[in-house]
Amino acid sequence: MTAYFDIFNGDADGICALQQLRLAAPRPQAELITGVKRDIELVGRLLSATPAAELAGAEITVLDISLERNRPALATLPPSCRLFYADHHYAGEIPAGPNREFHIDPDSQQCTALIVDRLLAGRYRAWAVVGAFGDNLHDPARRAAAELGLAGGELEELRELGELLNYNGYGQQLADLHFPPATLYRELAPYPEPLAFCRRSAAMADLRRGFAADLGRARELTPLRDDAVGRVYQLPPRPWARRVNGVFANELARSAPDRAHALLVEGDDDHFLVSVRAPWQRPSGADTLCRRFPGGGGRAAAAGINGLPAAQIPAFLAAFSEIFQP
């Protein structure tokens, strides 16, 4: 019997990419492997938890996690398993081989949900729009939505849903989140149209309340740094700060599109979780900055570092100035 595994980032983009694929080709028997947004070395988790015999001949879908960060684990997958991989992060060299299908597009105006939308010829485009909004790609989201014939405030409902799904993915551990991403995906799965989920799901109301409370706290903070290059904030070691750092970074980026932004969320071990947004008007450099530090990665417009030691904060701020100097 063929084993099926769906591996996906726990943010809006990963969830909406999978939602489109499984609406088009249901796999209710698939094992879901996901985690918080920063938990991206997920192919290794599959390997450590699954007997090799079960992986032989398996069908594995991987969505919205860096190929570069998963390269060692991918190299150990049995050649007989079928791999479908879609992503928009920096990938490096894409491996070739039988039973391997890669759709990688690191363009700063792309996300995985839009890549899947292209592969499905727009069949479930509203979900791609949600994913793009969640990934802070508002202009591409609106362009993709242009053919949907949305009325009144419907586009804003899709925007809110994307931002709420993305907000739910941020945290250092699953306990920080309102919903584990696999649970949230299962909440979405019965809805071919995202507007129906917005209007009928109790989960939507829960996310809306949590989002408003957490963002309200963040907006009261004073920047650690505020100059022509950008703004840097330090957030306390609290679950609300870990939850809200991504959406707060996106809000700051939209409010000052000519400047870069970084959020440093204090951890319990003298390390910081870092979110970086390049200037909207110059959407590049975030990945370059973050890859200078261990645990860093992402894409040109938005990237992060999973554990920046406090002692390296001066070096980070110097690199921030160097890369984003107007």
Side-chain angles (χ1 to χ4, degrees):
M1 180 180 296
T2 301
Y4 297 93
F5 301 92
D6 285 340
I7 303 173
F8 60 102
N9 194 297
D11 69 354
D13 192 26
I15 290 173
C16 291
L18 182 62
Q19 175 74 341
Q20 293 174 83
L21 282 177
R22 293 298 159 251
L23 286 170
R27 284 185 183 170
Q29 71 275 46
E31 181 178 340
L32 303 181
I33 299 176
T34 186
V36 300
K37 181 178 175 70
R38 298 296 183 93
D39 193 357
I40 57 176
E41 294 177 3
L42 297 175
V43 180
R45 188 191 300 175
L46 167 69
L47 291 170
S48 64
T50 310
E54 188 175 344
L55 291 177
E59 296 210 13
I60 301 169
T61 297
V62 183
L63 300 168
D64 197 38
I65 56 174
S66 164
L67 190 156
E68 183 68 10
R69 294 283 294 274
N70 286 275
R71 186 181 305 277
L74 288 171
T76 66
L77 287 175
S80 61
C81 74
R82 297 182 62 84
L83 175 68
F84 174 93
Y85 204 116
D87 184 47
H88 66 122
H89 299 92
Y90 171 80
E93 183 177 355
I94 299 175
N99 299 322
R100 301 293 187 263
E101 182 180 352
F102 293 94
H103 301 276
I104 310 292
D105 186 351
D107 186 275
S108 64
Q109 297 299 294
Q110 278 291 348
C111 65
T112 310
L114 289 174
I115 293 169
V116 171
D117 174 71
R118 188 167 65 218
L119 295 173
L120 296 178
R123 187 172 172 186
Y124 298 102
R125 176 152 298 168
W127 281 112
V129 171
V130 172
F133 273 127
D135 236 26
N136 205 32
L137 297 176
H138 285 221
D139 289 341
R142 291 190 173 94
R143 287 195 295 269
E147 300 177 6
L148 295 179
L150 298 173
E154 291 176 334
L155 185 61
E156 286 305 297
E157 289 186 73
L158 298 185
R159 178 199 57 75
E160 182 189 30
L161 175 57
E163 292 182 354
L164 291 176
L165 295 178
N166 207 51
Y167 154 75
N168 183 76
Y170 279 92
Q172 196 164 8
Q173 54 196 355
L174 289 177
D176 290 337
L177 310 184
H178 295 290
F179 297 94
T183 300
L184 190 55
Y185 165 71
R186 292 188 182 100
E187 289 278 339
L188 302 180
Y191 294 92
E193 292 296 332
L195 289 172
F197 175 84
C198 291
R199 296 164 185 175
R200 299 175 192 168
S201 172
M204 181 73 174
D206 290 341
L207 289 174
R208 187 180 283 124
R209 283 191 296 269
F211 178 87
D214 290 349
L215 194 56
R217 293 187 183 100
R219 287 168 174 164
E220 294 175 353
L221 297 173
T222 300
L224 178 69
R225 164 181 171 169
D226 188 349
D227 56 26
V229 174
R231 290 178 288 187
V232 178
Y233 286 77
Q234 182 172 328
L235 280 67
R238 299 287 185 269
W240 72 262
R242 295 190 290 268
R243 285 193 299 264
V244 82
N245 80 92
V247 293
F248 186 45
N250 291 343
E251 177 180 278
L252 292 170
R254 291 193 298 272
S255 70
D258 59 333
R259 293 196 285 170
H261 294 85
L263 301 186
L264 311 176
V265 183
E266 186 178 353
D268 297 327
D269 55 357
D270 207 32
H271 285 65
F272 287 78
L273 188 72
V274 180
S275 293
V276 175
R277 299 293 182 270
W280 263 33
Q281 295 177 354
R282 295 176 286 115
S284 64
D287 55 343
T288 302
L289 169 62
C290 292
R291 284 203 301 271
R292 289 191 182 185
F293 300 89
R299 52 190 175 88
I305 305 169
N306 280 341
L308 180 71
Q312 291 192 26
I313 288 178
F316 172 81
L317 294 176
F320 182 88
S321 293
E322 172 196 335
I323 289 173
F324 296 124
Q325 187 68 41

